[in-house]
Amino acid sequence: MTGFGKKLSINVTCLSRLVSFLPPVTPVLNSRCRYVSKAAVNTQADYDYDRPLMKTQVPGPRSKELTKQMGQIQNNTAINFFCNYEESRGNFLVDVDGNRMLDVYTQIASIPIGYNHPALLKVVSDPNNASAFVNRPALGILPPESFVDKLTEGLLTVAPKGLNRVQNMACGSCSNENAYKAMFIWYRNKERGTSIPSDADLSSCMINQLSILSFSGAFHGRTMGCLATTHSKPIHKLDVPSFDWPIAPFPRLQYPLDEHVRENAQEEARCLEETEDLIVKWRHKGMPVAGVVIEPIQAEGGDNHASAAFFISLRKIASKHGCAFHVDEVQTGGGATGRFWAHEHWGAEDPADIVSFSKKLLTGGFFYRDEMETDKPYRIFNTWMGDPSKNLLLAEVLNVIRQENLLAEVTRTGKALLGGLYELQAKYPNLLSRARGQGTFCAIDVCKASVRDKLILQARDNGVILGGCGDLSIRFRPALIFKEHHVHMFLNVFSDLLAAHK
């Protein structure tokens, strides 16, 4: 990427509280069975802490009390612990009991450049930006004067290949929900040859019959339309009615990928054949597939990968049958795989018709082709349609990514992380298997769900925050500023936990 913004000068006086380190602490675990690796040089910016510091188990007493109070107001059953975001810094999250933890999960993959990054604090403290934070407009009808410039300077500089337009939204679910609507509208306009609906269209629209094809193991959100395409965990869909839309099999590959090329190619061919059969079947049912939606790496469903050839072939099948092709990059977008968009790894000339995003991009939305533009108001619409303040922050995030060459850093760090996971699964084959990843977007399977969950809790009590996904997987979702020495911090803690496992 070129044409980067000017480098920021940090006001050290204003940020002194954020750049003052706490005293060194003793290691959380003993060193009886350390992970043996060459320590990386610590080149992290000075706003990062140097190591975890644990004072209590997690959740600690203050977290437990706040969780109890929350239970009197709303459902609290998903709360892990309460956080002190003012004291959190860089790759480290601090909780309300003073525990400082290396965060390798980052708010479910949504913190791009760490906690309290000085560049973002400067954006917030700039008086010229105050209006964007104080006044939240209904962007679809009353956007601010600077809105076009901010989109051009921010989101459009990272537009995926072939996608010239972008629609802001607030979160991943509403991004996908409205992307589905855009595909339906595009499909019907294509059928009728015009964007002007007939009387018959208007009279029959309440029982409109179209579908979106999704894949087993997918996660695309929790709103009603998105839930119809989400198939990762039963709890997401329990008691909620769903549309009768086709669900194709996602390849279940064997790892390492380069050792199972023939078997994996056969599995992908099977899934592609079944996908095409489903598109034909649903057309015959009178519910034609308007769009195909897929994640470049199935995240919530278990970090399931497929080859570039699979995705390129799937794209061709969608085009052959007149279906839009929607790539959901809500979790994979923003650089975690070493490319800004995970689908860039495919090397495809025409990768998608729609690409949705959120999480690391701080705002939600979707990029789309010119022909998928609607020509009538309120068809793709809600009150806020994003947040101008998030666009300001995103523009600065993009500056930091470019200035610090963070995508190359992610590639280097990812190799260290995946290499460490390979070593640990070789050392503990009864516990670990199927290490996999692109960049720092990595995962590994644990022998049993109960053991996986126990390891995640033990890691947290020893200063490392991890996340689970799928039935057996631990997923790694660090910020883009995660370095090799942070990898070794994690590996040392995790190695000790594995060695102590009974």
Side-chain angles (χ1 to χ4, degrees), residues 147-357:
F147 193 53
V148 174
D149 287 342
K150 295 306 178 186
L151 288 178
T152 303
E153 296 166 3
L155 280 169
L156 287 177
T157 67
V158 292
K161 182 185 293 186
L163 307 186
N164 304 312
R165 292 176 173 268
V166 65
Q167 177 61 67
N168 274 105
M169 286 292 163
C171 69
S173 289
C174 64
S175 300
N176 284 336
E177 195 84 20
N178 283 279
Y180 295 175
K181 288 171 62 179
M183 290 192 288
F184 289 139
I185 293 167
W186 164 82
Y187 189 88
R188 284 302 192 207
N189 286 342
K190 181 164 61 89
E191 276 191 331
R192 66 172 68 99
T194 176
S195 63
I196 302 173
S198 67
D199 290 341
D201 292 328
L202 294 172
S203 64
S204 66
C205 69
M206 298 304 177
I207 53 170
N208 221 339
Q209 296 295 306
L210 287 174
S211 62
I212 299 288
L213 182 142
S214 56
F215 289 82
S216 58
F219 182 89
H220 299 292
R222 293 179 171 88
T223 51
M224 288 293 287
C226 292
L227 266 181
T229 58
T230 287
H231 317 292
S232 53
K233 292 186 177 74
I235 192 63
H236 297 144
K237 300 169 76 79
L238 181 66
D239 300 328
V240 181
S242 188
F243 299 113
D244 180 20
W245 290 353
I247 306 167
F250 191 88
R252 180 69 174 175
L253 301 187
Q254 299 180 48
Y255 300 91
L257 298 177
D258 57 2
E259 295 180 10
H260 300 90
V261 175
R262 182 178 60 84
E263 302 95 317
N264 288 341
Q266 290 174 345
E267 169 68 359
E268 290 185 339
R270 177 187 70 83
C271 293
L272 289 168
E273 182 178 358
E274 290 194 33
T275 299
E276 188 161 17
D277 288 346
L278 284 169
I279 293 173
V280 173
K281 179 180 178 181
W282 250 255
R283 185 168 65 242
H284 291 161
K285 285 178 61 172
M287 296 178 61
V289 174
V292 173
V293 61
I294 197 164
E295 302 156 271
I297 302 171
Q298 285 191 334
E300 179 72 18
D303 269 39
N304 305 313
H305 292 247
S307 71
F310 171 81
F311 290 106
I312 292 171
S313 296
L314 184 63
R315 167 60 160 147
K316 290 178 180 177
I317 289 172
S319 297
K320 172 184 173 182
H321 291 278
C323 311
F325 193 61
H326 172 187
V327 179
D328 177 353
E329 292 250 23
V330 167
Q331 190 159 152
T332 52
T337 68
R339 302 283 184 90
F340 197 85
W341 302 109
H343 73 260
E344 293 177 23
H345 289 282
W346 306 344
E349 286 301 315
D350 182 28
D353 297 304
I354 287 186
V355 173
S356 54
F357 59 86

Side-chain angles (χ1 to χ4, degrees), residues 113-133:
I113 54 174
Y115 295 100
N116 288 307
H117 194 287
L120 300 188
L121 292 176
K122 186 172 183 179
V123 171
V124 175
S125 64
D126 185 344
N128 294 321
N129 295 331
S131 175
F133 289 94

Side-chain angles (χ1 to χ4, degrees), residues 479-492:
L480 303 180
I481 59 167
F482 197 71
K483 309 289 187 180
E484 286 187 61
H485 68 274
H486 297 115
V487 171
H488 298 304
M489 284 184 202
F490 153 69
L491 290 173
N492 283 333

Side-chain angles (χ1 to χ4, degrees), residues 437-453:
Q438 279 186 326
T440 55
F441 201 101
C442 295
I444 195 165
D445 281 8
V446 183
C447 58
K448 295 179 182 178
S450 59
V451 176
R452 185 267 311 269
D453 297 344

